[in-house]
Amino acid sequence: MALKRRTKISAAFSMSSMTDIVFLLLIFFMITSTMVHPNAIKLLTPKKATKKVVVEKYLNVRVTSSGRFYVEGKRVGDEAIESGLVAAFNRNDKTIVKLRTDKNASTGNVARILDIAETNGIKVILDIR
């Protein structure tokens, strides 16, 4: 007795429902990724200044793009920049160093001046042109 089935079982697989699920997951991840905030550096911006700074004298220091240092318009050598800056600085709370740098000046030279100022307790205003 040979029994035959009336309906044949199909071995084909329909991918239409799978593509719907993939597109729904894609939309879900695109929406949730826009809600995530990237890790950024938080900068503390100063609020309204309550203390006014009185400046009697600016000590002009300049760093050129070629790596030359000038203190009050006089060229100072690389090895004598610290002694020249400290010698020209007046030990007064109302004297501030105005550090002018060229836009293409080396950051190493600018950092060197800032390190000298911090070591000797000198206040600095940075002016990049």
Side-chain angles (χ1 to χ4, degrees):
M1 192 165 163
L3 296 175
K4 292 186 178 181
R5 294 186 185 179
R6 290 185 186 175
T7 59
K8 293 184 178 179
I9 298 175
S10 174
F13 180 72
S14 175
M15 290 291 292
S16 62
S17 60
M18 185 67 79
T19 56
D20 290 342
I21 291 172
V22 169
F23 283 124
L24 285 174
L25 285 173
L26 179 67
I27 292 170
F28 171 76
F29 285 118
M30 286 176 57
I31 290 173
T32 56
S33 67
T34 59
M35 294 182 198
V36 175
H37 297 288
N39 293 336
I41 298 172
K42 288 191 176 189
L43 297 177
L44 299 175
T45 55
K47 304 293 187 251
K48 183 178 176 182
T50 57
K51 180 181 174 185
K52 293 195 177 195
V53 177
V54 178
V55 178
E56 286 183 1
K57 180 185 173 192
Y58 284 111
L59 177 65
N60 292 311
V61 178
R62 186 166 178 239
V63 179
T64 64
S65 58
S66 60
R68 294 189 179 125
F69 299 104
Y70 294 91
V71 177
E72 288 298 326
K74 297 177 185 175
R75 187 169 177 341
V76 179
D78 294 344
E79 61 281 342
I81 185 64
E82 183 169 6
S83 60
L85 183 62
V86 173
F89 181 70
N90 183 6
R91 288 276 176 203
N92 187 350
D93 288 338
K94 297 176 183 172
T95 302
I96 293 180
V97 171
K98 184 176 181 182
L99 178 59
R100 239 180 108 193
T101 65
D102 292 337
K103 188 183 279 187
N104 297 328
S106 170
T107 54
N109 290 335
V110 176
R112 184 174 171 194
I113 299 291
L114 292 173
D115 286 340
I116 292 168
E118 184 178 350
T119 304
N120 294 303
I122 301 171
K123 296 179 184 175
V124 178
I125 295 173
L126 185 59
D127 181 16
I128 300 173
R129 294 196 181 199

